Amino acid sequence: MNDVIESPNDEQWMRYAMTLAARAEAAGEVPVGAVIVKDDLIVGEGWNQPINATDPTAHAEIIALRMASRAANNYRLPGCTLYVTLEPCTMCVGALVHSRIERLVYGTTEPKAGAVESQAVLLTSPYFNHRIDYVGGVLASECQHQLSHFFQQRRKQLKALKQQNKNAVKDDGING
């Protein structure tokens, strides 16, 4: 991680991103939320929507970038900070670089596909022509809990569904 210091408003905006992540969860999506702030005002926000939008690029960060770019009438977003509950993936890091986001603040790391510090370390790669200041771990345990709880619930639902299907097969007299 680079030596960027947390801003006094980082926790406030991360909590807002967590409310956006709850929207994703309510829609059956992995709970990740993102908000883009400039001069302490929201210019874009998003939550994971790839399943419901049938769009593999509909990550929370991408949705927020699209909204902020439309608001700015420019694909470049200098002076903006993106807050996201989960460490961005490779696709999202690339979009952040191209958008010229000034600062990235994320909650918890993504051990399987994180592209800031967990798997790839893209933001410090010398081949990018734009540098993004970043800080990770803001409300990390709360963001991690939100994700863990979602996946625990999903596993319970799948287990219950498997049990239901197993019981239905028995009730039909098949394999019984």
Side-chain angles (χ1 to χ4, degrees):
M1 189 171 337
N2 63 3
D3 296 327
V4 175
I5 299 172
E6 282 188 46
S7 164
N9 294 331
D10 285 353
E11 285 191 13
Q12 167 198 336
W13 291 118
M14 188 60 69
R15 288 192 193 287
Y16 184 76
M18 290 177 69
T19 66
L20 298 171
R23 289 186 188 182
E25 183 172 11
E29 302 272 4
V30 175
V32 178
V35 61
I36 299 176
V37 176
K38 183 173 184 174
D39 300 326
D40 218 28
L41 297 172
I42 295 172
V43 294
E45 62 183 40
W47 53 91
N48 268 6
Q49 301 176 43
I51 296 167
N52 292 306
T54 58
D55 178 356
T57 69
H59 290 195
E61 301 95 321
I62 302 299
I63 302 294
L65 286 168
R66 288 174 181 160
M67 179 185 277
S69 294
R70 281 191 298 272
N73 199 30
N74 193 339
Y75 73 99
R76 294 204 169 157
L77 301 169
C80 291
T81 298
L82 181 133
Y83 295 88
V84 63
T85 57
L86 182 65
E87 177 184 3
C89 69
T90 302
M91 173 185 70
C92 292
V93 167
L96 294 174
V97 170
H98 288 294
S99 72
R100 304 300 194 262
I101 285 284
E102 185 174 311
R103 188 166 176 263
L104 165 67
V105 179
Y106 61 91
T108 191
T109 55
E110 209 313 18
K112 292 181 182 176
V116 176
E117 69 174 292
S118 295
Q119 288 297 325
V121 186
L122 295 180
L123 290 180
T124 56
S125 296
Y127 49 83
F128 282 134
N129 62 350
H130 175 69
R131 295 284 170 245
I132 298 173
D133 292 329
Y134 66 93
V135 61
V138 175
L139 300 180
S141 61
E142 291 176 50
C143 292
Q144 180 59 49
H145 175 75
Q146 191 173 32
L147 286 158
S148 296
H149 180 262
F150 170 80
F151 286 112
Q152 285 172 350
Q153 293 303 112
R154 181 175 270 182
R155 283 190 294 275
K156 281 182 186 177
Q157 290 169 347
L158 288 174
K159 186 176 179 180
L161 185 61
K162 283 182 184 179
Q163 187 60 45
Q164 239 179 2
N165 289 340
K166 188 176 179 181
N167 291 340
V169 168
K170 283 183 183 179
D171 290 345
D172 287 343
I174 301 171
N175 298 330

